[in-house]
Each structure stands twice: as structure tokens, then as C-alpha cells.
Amino acid sequence: MRPAHIALAALVAAVWGVNFVVIEIGLDHFPPLLFSALRFLVAALPAVFLVGRPKVAWKWIVAVGLALGVAKFGLLFTGMDLGAPAGLSSLVLQAQAVFTALFAFAALGERPGRAAVLGMGVALAGIGVAAVDEGASGPVTGFVLVIAAAACWGVSNVLTRRAAPPDPLNWMVWVSTVPVLPLLALSLLLEGPERDLAALRALDWTGVGVILYVAWVTTVFGFGAWGWLLRRHPASSVAPFSLLVPVFGMSSAALFLGESVTPLRWLAAALLVGGVALTTLAPRRTPPAAPPRPGASGNRPEPATATPAPGSGRPPVRPAGGPAGRTNG
């Protein structure tokens, strides 16, 4: 990766890490599902009128909108509202790298090597230690919801990889249109109209600032930049920068929210970050090249995968007749 791209990936990690503190503040002003709905509403409007028509098929926009917007953020905000600490949430959510590797193996044939499998085991051990720590000091339900949010993020990562959006800003803005109505409906059903109206009536400048940060900075800029990086570099090159998110998240939570970090939490952080590093940095195993076909011109073997050369920045070249990774919508 170029130095400018490395700096961009680190900036996105910082934005996402501090975001957990901002979410914690926002949950003092809004119910979690309404908060998430407002996030995507502000992210989509008025930008949706400025970025042009969608450049990928609607099936990908809707799929990622539901997986990322409704499932991942709905679960994350609810888990934090139920007591999952901001710093711990920033750490546990990085299990998305493990889920991404598992789902990429199932859907894309990206087969993990032995080191990656070992890394998954170490990361899962870290989640177990974090669960013990949270079980001893706080409610476990919120912790479980954050893990579920990490799994949904893994799903959205793989779907984004398949969609291969050519314009990340256009992509993220249109994806942000999908979760608004489902989240509002869930908020009215589960949180109640009275609670929602009370939060909107009490809206102050702090609440406005929180919405603007989580909508424009972390959603439009953060996911737009992340998608732009994934489009130009292999996931194995971009994903390790997510390891910086809990560094910024736990440090900012300690600085601004006064959250303490217990010895068990330090151990969980070491295991989870180390396991994620093994999972994302280990080379992936690919199937051997197919043998030459009899009578083929030059006896050259067929390509074994649709994966581009690392760092090439080119989208996968798929065999003729194979499923298209992206269609214009």
C-alpha cells in the first residue's frame, strides 16, 4: 500500500475508535434503534441527491444496507445501551475479521492457511476471556449483542467485496438509505413512540453534534474510505488496520469516559488483537492451478482463482460464464 493509503487506513481506524465514545454519549440522548435510524437518515440526506444514481445493482445495496445498517449497528447500539462498555465494544467488534475470514472462505473460496486458523482460535479465546471479565463486572447480554454485530459486519464485508462498488462514496450514501425505515419501524415497535418523541423533543446541540459525527464522519467518510481501500487492495492488506480501532477506542474511552481496563481485559485485548493479526496477516492458501487441457493452445494452464494480484488495485477477473461480481443498477 502507498503511504497515503496507509495514512488513510489509520485515520479511518482513529475515526471508528473515537466513535464508540461518541455513541456512548449519543445513547444518553436517544434510544439505540432511533439513534441508528437518525444516523443513516442524516448520512443519506441530502447526499443522495448529489452523488448520482447507484452504480451497483440494488440487490447489493439492499443486502449490505440490511446487514450493516440494520443488523450490525442495531445490535451494536442496543448492546452498548444495555451496558457493554465503549472500550470493550471497540475491542470485541474486531472479531469481525475472524467472521470475515470464515464467510469469505464459505462464499468466495478464500481458504485460510494454518496460521489464520490458529489466529481464529486465539481470537476466540480472547472473546472468551472478555466474556468472563464482562460477566464478572457487567451484563452479559450487551456483550453478546456486540459479538453478533461483529458477525453481521463480517457478512457486510464479504457482500461489499462481491459488489465491488466503483465509487465508494456513492455506494455508502445509497447503502445508508436502506436501514432508515426498517430501523424506525423497529424503534416504534420495540422502544415505543413515546420514548422516541421525548428524545426528539429534548434534542440539543450535543445530540445534533453526535448525529453529525456518526453520520458524516464515521459512516459516509469512514465506510466510504474503507470501501475505497478494499476496492484497490486485497482484504488481507486493509483488514489489519482494524487492529488500531480498539487502541483508539479503549484509550479514548479511558480518557473521556473514565473507563478502567482490568487485567482480564488487557489479557482479552492481547489475545483478540493477536488472533486477529494472525487471521488477517497470514497468507491465504489457494487451490493449485488446473492441469493443461489436452489440445489447448500453448498448453497453458487455466487460472485457478479470480483473485487479482496483491496490490494490483484491479477487480477480480472472473472466468467466462461465471457469476458477475457487480452489475450496474
Side-chain angles (χ1 to χ4, degrees), residues 55-302:
K55 298 181 180 180
V56 299
W58 269 103
K59 65 178 181 179
W60 298 116
I61 295 173
V62 172
V64 173
L66 294 176
L68 182 69
V70 178
K72 184 243 180 174
F73 281 106
L75 290 168
L76 174 64
F77 282 31
T78 302
M80 292 182 65
D81 189 58
L82 292 176
L88 181 64
S89 297
S90 72
L91 172 66
V92 172
L93 198 63
Q94 299 321 304
Q96 59 87 14
V98 175
F99 289 113
T100 299
L102 291 173
F103 298 147
F105 169 65
L108 306 179
E110 296 182 1
R111 186 180 179 185
R114 292 181 180 178
V117 173
L118 174 62
M120 293 180 200
V122 173
L124 291 175
I127 292 176
V129 172
V132 171
D133 177 63
E134 184 65 7
S137 60
V140 177
T141 304
F143 177 84
V144 172
L145 291 182
V146 174
I147 294 177
C152 293
W153 193 1
V155 172
S156 73
N157 284 341
V158 173
L159 289 172
T160 299
R161 186 77 169 163
R162 289 295 304 270
D167 183 341
L169 179 60
N170 174 284
W171 162 256
M172 197 60 226
V173 169
W174 280 104
V175 164
S176 295
T177 66
V178 175
V180 178
L181 291 180
L183 285 169
L184 283 175
L186 287 171
S187 179
L188 290 172
L189 179 65
L190 301 176
E191 296 166 344
E194 296 83 4
R195 189 181 175 192
D196 288 351
L197 286 174
L200 294 175
R201 287 170 181 160
L203 184 65
D204 56 15
W205 285 110
T206 301
V208 171
V210 163
I211 291 293
L212 292 179
Y213 183 91
V214 299
W216 290 349
V217 180
T218 69
T219 304
V220 177
F221 167 74
F223 282 96
W226 196 254
W228 185 87
L229 290 168
L230 284 172
R231 175 67 175 165
R232 284 157 177 77
H233 302 282
S236 58
S237 297
V238 178
F241 286 92
S242 68
L243 298 175
L244 297 175
V245 173
V247 175
F248 291 109
M250 296 178 75
S251 59
S252 60
L255 180 63
F256 296 109
L257 302 178
E259 289 186 4
S260 60
V261 184
T262 65
L264 271 181
R265 196 162 296 177
W266 280 118
L267 177 59
L271 289 171
L272 186 54
V273 171
V276 169
L278 277 173
T279 302
T280 55
L281 295 176
R284 288 171 295 176
R285 291 157 57 188
T286 56
R293 292 181 300 172
S297 176
N299 288 330
R300 297 177 61 183
E302 294 292 318

